[in-house]
Amino acid sequence: MMITTDEVWRDLIGINADPPDRRKKCDKCKRPVVVCWCSSLPQPPVAVASQIVILQHPAEEKRSLRTALMLQLGLTPGKCVVYKGKRFPNTRHPPELQQVLDSPQTLLLYPSKDSVPLEEIDRSAGPYTLVLIDGTWPQAKAIYASSPALHQLRQVKLIAVGVSDYIIRTQPTEGCLSTLETAAQCLAVLESKPELRQQLVRPLHALCKYQLDNGAVEHQSKEYLMKTNQYPKPIGKRLSRLLNYSNTVCGSAAPLEQQSDTQESR
């Protein structure tokens, strides 16, 4: 039996260019069920007076292990809002974002020379809206530089937050946190509830445990590796600047997640 060119062509046209994803996915976290972390989310979601607003670089959405979604699902609806872009606000953002940026109750977590410790903010004057920039450190700096509205906000930083629990990825410096950890620590301070951090980061612990149980290895920060003479490559200019910036400008303040994946592959 002879197969005609037309028949071959029709068969080729019928082939799906994108192979089907046969793994069943969770409706909430959109991850394959086998690696779903939703069972570790707080039940019920945590109710807080404060609000977290995340300004997310578009590249962060592609990171498969991003933690911002963990924060959104761990808090009651509307308490964590994510806006995407490289400049804030822009014409695609809803007017609510401009209202947030104009509010005297809005704080920007950004480790500059003008930042004051979040722990020193008058919590009785709250509730506050805390703005986080989600992206790599260069992306975060670019977003800040191109967004004049952010320059008018009161800037705060975290003090002595410890080492990240995101142990399956290499952080640039000691004290770099994921977006989830950063927000959870800030909420623990603003709400005067130290237990909030532990409650909100449980999905991250579950994710890391699964990865470690299936062949991943625990990572140390680049700063730690350099201090212990284990860093395998020459120190580049960007990493050197980040280490110097963290030590001289931020002091013991925790750099934003943005500085680690910022912060995340989230």
Side-chain angles (χ1 to χ4, degrees), residues 12 38 61 77 80 92 103 127 148 158 187 196 235 245-247 255:
L12 289 173
C38 290
E61 190 175 11
C80 176
R92 294 186 298 275
S103 171
L158 282 171
L187 287 173
L196 283 184
I235 302 174
Y245 183 86
S246 178
N247 291 330

Side-chain angles (χ1 to χ4, degrees), residues 42 44-55 67-83 100 105 107 126-132 179-180 182-184 186-188 190-191 193 196 200:
V46 176
V48 293
S50 309
Q51 183 185 41
I52 300 293
V53 170
I54 297 177
L55 307 182
T67 64
L69 182 59
M70 294 180 180
L71 182 65
Q72 286 185 292
L73 295 177
L75 296 173
T76 52
K79 286 301 181 178
C80 176
V81 183
V82 179
Y83 298 98
V100 166
Q105 295 301 105
L107 308 172
Y128 293 101
T129 295
L130 185 69
V131 175
L132 308 181
T179 298
L180 172 67
T182 301
C186 289
L187 287 173
L190 291 174
E191 302 285 316
K193 295 180 179 179
L196 283 184
L200 291 170

